[in-house]
C-alpha cells in the first residue's frame, strides 16, 4: 500500500532504467502524488542508493551518468507540476552553477528547479563555471544571490575565489553568496565568508528566502 509507484520509481532509478522511470513519473502525477514527493522519495532516493553503491565499488561511472540524465529529463517533465501558479513578482534573482573543474550537476539542477518553483528568477550557468563567469552574470542580471555547488574537495576552493572576486569588483554588498554540495559544510561556508549554506534543496530555498528578505530569521 501507500506509494508503491514511488518505490518503483526509486528501484528503476537504481537499475538505471531511464525509459521505465520516465513512464512511471507521469503515472505518479496522474495518481495525484505530489511532484516534490516524486523528486525526494523516488528520484533522489534512487540516486543516493546508486551513489552509495558507487562508493563501495558496486556501481560504475556510466551507470551514474545514465541516472543523472534520467534525473534531468524527469525534472524537465516535473517542473510545471512543481510550479504553483502565482502571479507575484519573483522573490529575487539567483545565478547558480557548479564550480570550475567540477561536472557534477544533479544536486545543482534540483536546487535550481526548486528555487524556480519557489518563485525566484534563476539563471543556471551549468557546470565548470569560473569565478569570472559567476560574477559577470551576477552583474549583468543584477542578481541578489550567487549559488555555487561543488562535489569535489579539490574544487571547493573555487567558491572562495568567487567571493574574493566579488569583493574586488565591489559587488559583495549587493550580492549574497550561498553554497552547497556533499563536501561543503556550515564550517566551511563560514570559513570562506559565504552568507548561507544548505544541506539540501529544502534548505537552499529557505536560505535564499532569508537572504533576500522574503522571510524573517
Ligand atoms: C553521480 C556522481 C557522478 C556522476 C555525475 C553526473 C552528473 N551529471 O552530475 C559522474 C559519473 C559523471 C561522476 C564523475 C566524477 N566523480 Co562523482 N560522484 C557522483 C556521486 C555518486 C553522487 C553525486 C550526486 O549526484 N548525488 C545526488 C545529489 C542529489 O546530491 P548532491 O549533489 O549532494 O546535492 C544535494 C545537496 O548537496 C545540496 N546541494 C547541492 N548543490 C548545492 C548548491 C547550493 C547552493 C545549496 C544550498 C545546496 C546544494 O542539495 C542537493 C539536493 O538536495 C558522488 C557520491 C556522493 N556521495 O556525493 C560521487 C563523487 C562526488 N564523485 C567523485 C569523483 C572522484 C568523481 C570523478 C573525479 C571520478 C573520476 N575518477 O573520474 C569524476 C569527476 C569529474 C569532474 N571533473 O567533475 C567523488 C569525490 C571525492 C572527493 N572527495 O572529492 C565522490 C564523493 C565519490 C567517491 N566517494 O569517490 N560522479
Amino acid at each position: 500500500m501507500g506509494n508503491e509507484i514511488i518505490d518503483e520509481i526509486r528501484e528503476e532509478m537504481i537499475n538505471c532504467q531511464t525509459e521505465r522511470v520516465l513512464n512511471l513519473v507521469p503515472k505518479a502525477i496522474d495518481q495525484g502524488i505530489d511532484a516534490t514527493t516524486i523528486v525526494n522519495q523516488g528520484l533522489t532516493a534512487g540516486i543516493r542508493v546508486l551513489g552509495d553503491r558507487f562508493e563501495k565499488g558496486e556501481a560504475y561511472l556510466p551507470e551514474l551518468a545514465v541516472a543523472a540524465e534520467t534525473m534531468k529529463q524527469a525534472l524537465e517533465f516535473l517542473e510545471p507540476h512543481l510550479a504553483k501558479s502565482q502571479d507575484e513578482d519573483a522573490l529575487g534573482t539567483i545565478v547558480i552553477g557548479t564550480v570550475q573543474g567540477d561536472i557534477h550537476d544533479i544536486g545543482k539542477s534540483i536546487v535550481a528547479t526548486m528555487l524556480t518553483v519557489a518563485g525566484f528568477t534563476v539563471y543556471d550557468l551549468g557546470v565548470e563555471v569560473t569565478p569570472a563567469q559567476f560574477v559577470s552574470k551576477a552583474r549583468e542580471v543584477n542578481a541578489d544571490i550567487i549559488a555555487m555547488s561543488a562535489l569535489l574537495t579539490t574544487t571547493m576552493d573555487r567558491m572562495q575565489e568567487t567571493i574574493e572576486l566579488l569583493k574586488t569588483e565591489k559587488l559583495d554588498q549587493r550580492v549574497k553568496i550561498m553554497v552547497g554540495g556533499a563536501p561543503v559544510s556550515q564550517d566551511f561556508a563560514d570559513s570562506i565568508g559565504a552568507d548561507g549554506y544548505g544541506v539540501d534543496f529544502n534548505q537552499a530555498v529557505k536560505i535564499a528566502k532569508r537572504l533576500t528578505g522574503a522571510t524573517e530569521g
Side-chain angles (χ1 to χ4, degrees):
M1 278 304 289
N3 285 342
E4 274 166 29
I5 194 158
I6 292 286
D7 295 342
E8 260 185 90
I9 290 172
R10 191 185 59 242
E11 288 309 307
E12 297 299 3
M13 197 74 184
I14 297 168
N15 296 332
C16 299
Q17 295 295 328
T18 306
E19 232 170 279
R20 288 197 201 145
V21 173
L22 297 178
N23 280 329
L24 286 165
V25 167
K27 280 190 194 147
I29 289 287
D30 288 346
Q31 289 183 14
I33 297 171
D34 179 54
T36 311
T37 306
I38 300 174
V39 174
N40 238 336
Q41 295 171 25
L43 302 167
T44 307
I47 286 218
R48 288 209 183 284
V49 172
L50 211 52
D52 290 345
R53 290 191 184 167
F54 177 71
E55 290 187 15
K56 288 188 213 143
E58 293 165 6
Y60 302 95
L61 288 181
E63 296 179 271
L64 286 165
V66 169
E69 186 51 38
T70 309
M71 173 69 100
K72 219 170 282 173
Q73 290 185 37
L75 278 179
E76 259 168 46
F77 171 82
L78 283 172
E79 188 164 337
H81 298 279
L82 288 159
K84 290 184 210 100
S85 55
Q86 50 173 219
D87 295 324
E88 291 166 35
D89 287 343
L91 295 179
T93 300
I94 301 179
V95 169
I96 191 169
T98 301
V99 299
Q100 186 176 13
D102 200 329
I103 62 161
H104 295 88
D105 70 350
I106 301 172
K108 180 271 300 164
S109 298
I110 299 176
V111 170
T113 301
M114 292 306 179
L115 288 170
T116 306
V117 166
F120 289 93
T121 302
V122 178
Y123 294 87
D124 186 345
L125 303 186
V127 298
E128 302 212 75
V129 183
T130 64
Q133 286 170 326
F134 274 120
V135 172
S136 89
K137 190 69 185 181
R139 187 188 289 283
E140 179 197 325
V141 302
N142 201 16
D144 300 291
I145 298 175
I146 291 177
M148 290 181 277
S149 180
L151 268 286
L152 298 171
T153 44
T154 47
T155 57
M156 290 161 72
D157 290 341
R158 301 288 95 75
M159 292 175 162
Q160 187 165 14
E161 286 172 27
T162 306
I163 291 173
E164 263 145 35
L165 185 60
L166 209 54
K167 281 188 193 147
T168 314
E169 303 257 324
K170 305 210 177 345
L171 280 172
D172 56 311
Q173 296 301 316
R174 159 93 186 88
V175 185
K176 302 272 191 262
I177 294 278
M178 187 164 93
V179 293
V184 180
S185 63
Q186 184 67 57
D187 280 351
F188 176 78
D190 292 342
S191 77
I192 62 169
D195 302 291
Y197 157 73
V199 71
D200 60 18
F201 64 77
N202 288 315
Q203 276 193 20
V205 170
K206 268 188 208 150
I207 289 153
K209 285 185 175 169
R210 175 167 62 77
L211 293 179
T212 53
T215 51
E216 299 292 312

